[in-house]
Amino acid sequence: MNRRWYRIWIAALAILLIALAGGAWWCGRTNPHLKSLVSYDPITGCDDDEIRRRELEAAGPNAVPFLREQLRREPSLAMRGLTWLDSKGVVAWIHDWVSGSLADSIGNRLQNLNMTRFLAARSLLVLGPAAAAARPELTMRATGAGSPLSCSATAALASLTPEDPSTVSNYLVRLAGNNQSERFFLVRDFPLIWPKAPPHLHVLME
């Protein structure tokens, strides 16, 4: 009986945290163009950068403030609670013993925050120098190595001043690192920043 009540208590706690975490998650929910910029839903999201560019144009001057807000967003208390449950193996236990759909819902919530930040940085990368106001937020998220968010923020930072030799140099330093995941993302984003060979590249390569 005690084991049964323990399972019920854990499931109730998880449901409560999901409800709290799901408050007003999408600040851009009233503007479909803003929402699409940070959505990874195959229907409402941007499948490629050309679509993302069109959505940015449609969103107009509201795009950069909205994307900066997404990058600043920190996990709520409820999200931190869900992260703690996951780190303790509770989510996997819920999947096996309580409800697979509930566990999947928790997993989606945990993925949502990092994916939202990543797509916000990606949208700012597509904007290039026009996203200069987002430099503080991009700098904050460019820390760390190898994560998609860190790499996307690094590329977006480079796109703000692509003609600056120090920008080229710093990007190449990270590109030459040993982290395979980071190199993959930085190589992928290189043509978005420099469609042609970066200025001063021949000097840096000597």
Side-chain angles (χ1 to χ4, degrees):
M1 180 65 70
N2 289 338
R3 186 184 181 92
R4 181 181 172 219
W5 281 108
Y6 177 74
R7 291 178 181 175
I8 293 173
W9 182 85
I10 288 292
L13 175 61
I15 292 171
L16 174 63
L17 290 173
I18 290 174
L20 291 173
W25 182 259
W26 295 110
C27 291
R29 63 193 182 281
T30 59
N31 186 325
H33 301 294
L34 293 177
K35 180 177 178 179
S36 69
L37 294 175
V38 292
S39 172
Y40 57 95
D41 184 280
I43 297 176
T44 61
C46 300
D47 289 340
D48 57 50
D49 290 326
E50 281 305 313
I51 296 176
R52 187 172 302 281
R53 189 170 283 107
R54 290 198 295 269
E55 291 296 312
L56 284 165
E57 291 175 357
N62 293 324
V64 172
F66 169 74
L67 295 170
R68 293 179 67 188
E69 183 179 349
Q70 302 312 303
L71 287 177
R72 287 195 299 267
R73 188 179 295 278
E74 296 292 347
S76 66
L77 181 61
M79 287 299 298
R80 291 196 293 270
L82 290 175
T83 301
W84 180 84
L85 288 176
D86 187 46
S87 70
K88 300 299 181 182
V90 174
V91 176
W93 179 85
I94 289 174
H95 185 278
D96 293 339
W97 295 98
V98 180
S99 168
S101 59
L102 175 59
D104 291 342
S105 179
I106 295 173
N108 289 337
R109 290 291 180 186
L110 293 174
Q111 183 188 27
N112 205 335
L113 179 61
N114 282 333
M115 184 59 72
T116 298
R117 291 169 174 169
F118 166 75
L119 292 174
R122 183 77 185 174
S123 296
L124 292 167
L125 166 60
V126 171
L127 271 177
R135 181 180 293 277
E137 290 79 13
L138 289 170
T139 301
M140 175 176 63
R141 297 305 177 194
T143 57
S147 74
L149 172 59
S150 170
C151 295
S152 189
T154 297
L157 275 173
S159 74
L160 301 182
T161 53
E163 302 298 318
D164 187 341
S166 64
T167 296
V168 181
S169 177
N170 292 337
Y171 199 89
L172 291 178
V173 167
R174 288 195 66 166
L175 190 58
N178 295 323
N179 190 305
Q180 293 298 318
S181 175
E182 181 166 286
R183 290 176 66 183
F184 169 81
F185 287 110
L186 294 180
V187 167
R188 182 197 64 181
D189 293 338
F190 195 95
L192 275 175
I193 308 167
W194 296 286
K196 299 180 180 179
H200 316 289
L201 181 60
H202 64 285
V203 176
L204 294 170
M205 298 294 284
E206 291 178 354

